Amino acid sequence: MAYQITDNCTGCTLCAHFCPTGAARGVKKARHAIAAQLCIECGACGRICPHNAVQDPFGRMAKSEKKKDWKKPVFDLGLCMACGICVDACPAGCLEPGPPDPKRKTAYPLLSDPGACLGCGFCARECPVEAVSLEIRADAEAAAGAA
Amino acid sequence: MKRKGYMGKILMVDLSQGTIWEESPPEEIYRRYLGGMGLGAHILYQRIPAGADPLGPDNMLGFLPGLLTGTGSLFTGRWMVVGKSPLTGGWGDANCGGTFSPEIKRCGYDGIFVRGTSPTPVYLYVDDQTRELRDASAVWGLDAVETEAWLKAHAKPGGKKPKVACIGPAGEQVSLISGIATDQGRLAARSGLGAVMGAKRLKAVVLCGQKRIEPHNREEMKRLSQACNRWVQFQPPFVPGPLTALVGALMRIMPAVITQDGILYKILLKKWGTVSMNQLSPEMGDAPIRNWKGSSRDWGFRKSYSTHPGVFSRRETVKFHCYSCPLGCGAICALDGKYAQTHKPEYETVLSLGGFCLNQDVDSIFYLNEVLNRAGMDTISAGHAVAFALECYEAGIIDREDTGGLELTWGNSRAIVALVEQMVRREGFGHVLADGVKQAAHRIGKGSEVCAVLAGGQEPAMHDGRNDPGFALHYSVEPTPGRHTLGAHLYYEMFQLWKVVRGVPRMPPIYLKGSKYKNPQRQAAIGAANSRFMTLVNCAGACLFAAFLGARRFRLFEWLNAATGWDLSSEAYMDLAGEIHTLKQAFNVKHGIEPRDHRISDRALGRPVQTEGANKGRSIDIEAMMTHYWQAFGWDPQTGKPGQEILEKLGRAA
């Protein structure tokens, strides 16, 4: 199962730029393709594509979204166990253990690079205790604007 | 995409040929050997020829995550390294936490196996698109922390940081007590497998994968995890650290024992980590003192006070959680002097370099912890080697001329520090000790063997079989001898297996302490259940401390079914684990090991009996327990070898 690129592709290279595994490939101004064995179904290619040229694994057209509208992780530190599953799940490497909480001496997860977040939601999906929710974040919006 | 918890592929590397290839084990292999240690046993039994030199090209080294790693289960971020041990000559494995384990699966593999010997130092780099051996000359000679930092900075530009497992200088110098380090000094320490990696000139394995790990039923995984987490987060207010000594003293004095509920140990672990046992264990007789010759009298409350748990928690700067661990028994501690920080020393380290050598200087223990972690040397074995030398010095077997001027008297922390520094550099008298106690006794000769306490060539851990005969049994019968993480009477109490597995011994709510030393058949039945269950834990990539929560709180069997989509009973899983355990024993027999030679040294069995302290007058009838244990697996009760019929059942007949 993998995402696919359709004839609508103009070869703008945005998907290749955002793909965290190098699965989306192609030369500029030519139709791109996704290497199925590398695709992890994060959906970044579909979200970023300005030409609606990407199909999800079920054959549905992926919907393009402005980067500032991508939903990104917010952590409920009352539920979080600091187990590191979300940090490990992140394909973009934009999560990391934050500075230690002074009272509990615990490093809770932190979205350290909001601009790099792909909004894939793997962190929320894999969190065993539902401590991660996906929301439009003001800091991520600012990072997207700056980018 | 597979939704079975495992990836369906293994990566094979031949360092001599410089070739790398993938293999796809059929589902039947996973159903039989599960993953982790079981998968490792299957591959290594098959592919390492009988009599292979552990330090030669025919030996294989496997890096394996658990079947449950990355599936949304808790406490399942541990990885195993497996190979033929140069320390024991038989099956070797070592277990480690940190964050390396899921990365093996993220690269798409259920195991990475390495054979051959590289002509020059190399490291293995694997990501989603790349699998290659790279020149390691830039990191050869660096310690484990420096190596990891260099590789994280240079092996992959930008994006997600890779994970690194590497050897330090001890492994490079083929020290037989060296291990493999991850996460700035966490060690897969036992069995001397760092030496195998060093002999292969494989400095590191560097992984950076993005593959998804999909359990069969993620919702069920989460439901089970949330139920487990509620027990983990239960944490009542707590007493000051030194009062743990009082608890230990009470446990020593009481003639009866209340069957322990592991939730109590969980509370200690969450509060302090394993150092919570620093005073409790010596007081109750669980900690060997002065090279197994001393007792709680030699390491009383006043002497052990310098290592009370509060001393360690005061230095913590941040808790350390292994991957998928909600508890966080580890921590990073601040240091003064040469190194700025270290992983919080574990109980094993504190005792082996503390009470075992009568060393009260806690600063030296913090420092040596970091020295040994960076060198990639096992702290348990290093402490044993030091205590062995101290006793040889006391007995006049060696003198100042032999030690290069070091005055090796009990508790002389300066001399102990200098000696360990020599050991990790293989300099001076340190070279004599750098391969562990067995080699040291061989090199020194002159009757020093009487000071060597070993099980099958491996230095046993800091838990005394005279206090808990289960430790003596597991030290003596496991395919990896001298190991404290595979079973004990106390562990069995905490596992509470009888609540979920039919046919295993039940524990009464209260029992007389003396009963542990009687009825070897029952003790062996308990030991066999422990071995099966811990085999399963190590196939799953799970943590021993989590298993202490009890089988109804740490629901391993249900997690396994939810992750894989199988529908096996707990008894069926225990049977599979028994076959894997037998396969490891068969590996030893294939490589010429006589199981009875794994029996731990007399001194640790109370022969002669101690005349004072917590274990006064106690002696263990280990031979009877070993016989019954072997029988419980269907092995020959006299030799401990699996018979032809059993090997045929396993498909391993000659």
Side-chain angles (χ1 to χ4, degrees), chain B residues 16-301:
Chain B
S16 300
Q17 307 290 328
T19 50
I20 302 175
W21 68 99
E22 286 180 350
E23 293 183 13
S24 302
E27 177 166 351
E28 170 199 333
I29 295 297
Y30 290 96
R31 281 187 173 265
R32 192 157 187 184
Y33 299 104
L34 306 172
M37 190 169 67
L39 185 59
H42 165 65
I43 299 288
L44 265 55
Y45 184 91
Q46 206 175 39
R47 303 196 191 191
I48 300 179
D53 175 4
L55 301 175
D58 286 339
N59 195 7
M60 291 179 76
L61 208 52
F63 300 83
L64 299 128
L67 181 55
L68 286 179
T69 302
T71 59
S73 49
L74 299 184
F75 296 107
T76 48
R78 299 192 71 84
W79 57 283
M80 297 291 290
V81 57
V82 297
K84 183 174 176 179
S85 166
L87 199 56
T88 67
W91 172 261
D93 63 43
N95 188 265
C96 190
T99 58
F100 184 73
S101 186
E103 209 61 24
I104 306 173
K105 278 186 160 176
R106 296 255 181 241
C107 287
Y109 303 113
D110 299 307
I112 297 173
F113 294 88
V114 182
R115 74 177 185 212
T117 302
S118 172
T120 56
V122 291
Y123 71 89
L124 173 67
Y125 178 81
V126 183
D127 67 20
D128 295 313
Q129 302 187 56
T130 316
R131 301 183 308 241
E132 60 191 19
L133 293 166
R134 295 179 179 174
D135 175 35
S137 54
V139 285
W140 196 256
L142 298 186
D143 71 36
V145 174
E146 293 164 342
T147 300
E148 184 178 335
W150 192 94
L151 289 168
K152 283 189 167 172
H154 295 89
K156 177 180 175 286
K160 187 182 169 185
K161 291 272 183 211
K163 298 290 193 292
V164 177
C166 65
I167 51 171
E172 290 178 17
Q173 294 158 9
V174 196
S175 158
L176 300 188
I177 55 171
S178 60
I180 300 165
T182 59
D183 295 278
Q184 294 90 44
R186 295 189 77 83
L187 228 61
R190 309 241 73 195
S191 292
L193 296 177
V196 177
M197 202 160 155
K200 292 186 177 303
R201 295 189 194 86
L202 178 64
K203 177 66 177 177
V205 176
V206 182
L207 307 176
C208 191
Q210 317 270 29
K211 298 241 176 352
R212 312 320 303 164
I213 307 161
E214 293 296 337
H216 176 74
N217 185 344
R218 189 176 288 281
E219 291 313 307
E220 177 67 358
M221 297 301 290
K222 287 190 178 189
R223 187 186 70 77
L224 293 165
S225 293
Q226 286 165 16
C228 177
N229 185 47
R230 279 194 283 277
W231 286 103
V232 177
Q233 300 309 329
F234 166 70
Q235 190 75 357
F238 221 74
V239 296
L243 282 185
T244 55
L246 183 65
V247 177
L250 278 173
M251 290 171 83
R252 181 181 73 228
I253 296 161
M254 299 279 280
V257 180
I258 298 169
T259 296
Q260 199 174 120
D261 188 319
I263 201 74
L264 299 172
Y265 188 52
K266 190 286 300 180
I267 292 165
L268 292 172
L269 274 178
K270 194 166 166 62
K271 171 76 178 169
W272 288 303
T274 56
V275 292
S276 56
M277 303 301 286
N278 287 355
Q279 286 196 287
L280 199 155
S281 276
E283 286 295 327
M284 67 190 272
D286 173 52
I289 303 298
R290 200 162 65 89
N291 200 27
W292 298 87
K293 236 180 172 178
S295 73
S296 51
R297 287 281 183 91
D298 300 289
W299 194 246
F301 175 80

Side-chain angles (χ1 to χ4, degrees), chain B residues 400-591:
Chain B
R400 280 186 78 147
E401 201 178 317
D402 298 308
T403 65
L406 293 177
E407 196 178 342
L408 294 183
T409 50
W410 294 103
N412 182 348
S413 65
R414 280 192 177 187
I416 291 169
V417 167
L419 184 56
V420 173
E421 286 178 333
Q422 287 183 10
M423 283 169 63
V424 301
R425 294 194 300 260
R426 267 198 190 277
E427 289 175 358
F429 187 62
H431 169 69
V432 175
L433 304 176
D435 293 310
V437 171
K438 184 180 175 185
Q439 290 297 321
H442 178 69
R443 286 169 185 157
I444 292 170
K446 296 189 280 188
S448 60
E449 295 81 6
V450 296
C451 309
V453 177
L454 292 163
Q458 173 79 70
E459 296 79 6
M462 293 294 113
H463 296 280
D464 199 324
R466 291 166 294 193
N467 175 66
D468 183 334
F471 281 117
L473 176 67
H474 288 278
Y475 288 157
S476 302
V477 293
E478 292 289 342
T480 48
R483 194 67 60 87
H484 66 294
T485 49
L486 298 174
H489 194 279
L490 175 65
Y491 292 5
Y492 191 71
E493 293 174 28
M494 295 193 282
F495 291 159
Q496 301 183 343
L497 285 178
W498 61 90
K499 292 184 176 176
V500 298
V501 181
R502 278 175 295 186
V504 298
R506 301 184 72 84
M507 289 298 299
I510 189 165
Y511 62 90
L512 287 173
K513 207 184 274 179
S515 67
K516 284 191 293 189
Y517 303 88
K518 296 169 187 161
N519 197 346
Q521 191 166 1
R522 177 174 161 81
Q523 298 309 317
I526 287 173
N530 276 332
S531 292
R532 285 191 170 96
F533 184 58
M534 282 312 300
T535 295
L536 200 57
V537 165
N538 286 327
C539 290
C543 175
L544 168 68
F545 298 152
F548 287 164
L549 281 169
R552 277 200 179 152
R553 299 173 186 134
F554 178 69
R555 293 155 83 167
L556 183 63
F557 304 106
E558 290 166 71
W559 260 318
L560 283 167
N561 280 337
T564 58
W566 304 335
D567 185 21
L568 296 181
S569 66
S570 54
E571 293 82 15
Y573 277 116
M574 291 287 272
D575 287 345
L576 287 175
E579 290 190 359
I580 293 165
H581 193 60
T582 297
L583 186 58
K584 288 186 291 169
Q585 186 79 340
F587 179 97
N588 277 352
V589 173
K590 176 181 169 181
H591 289 270

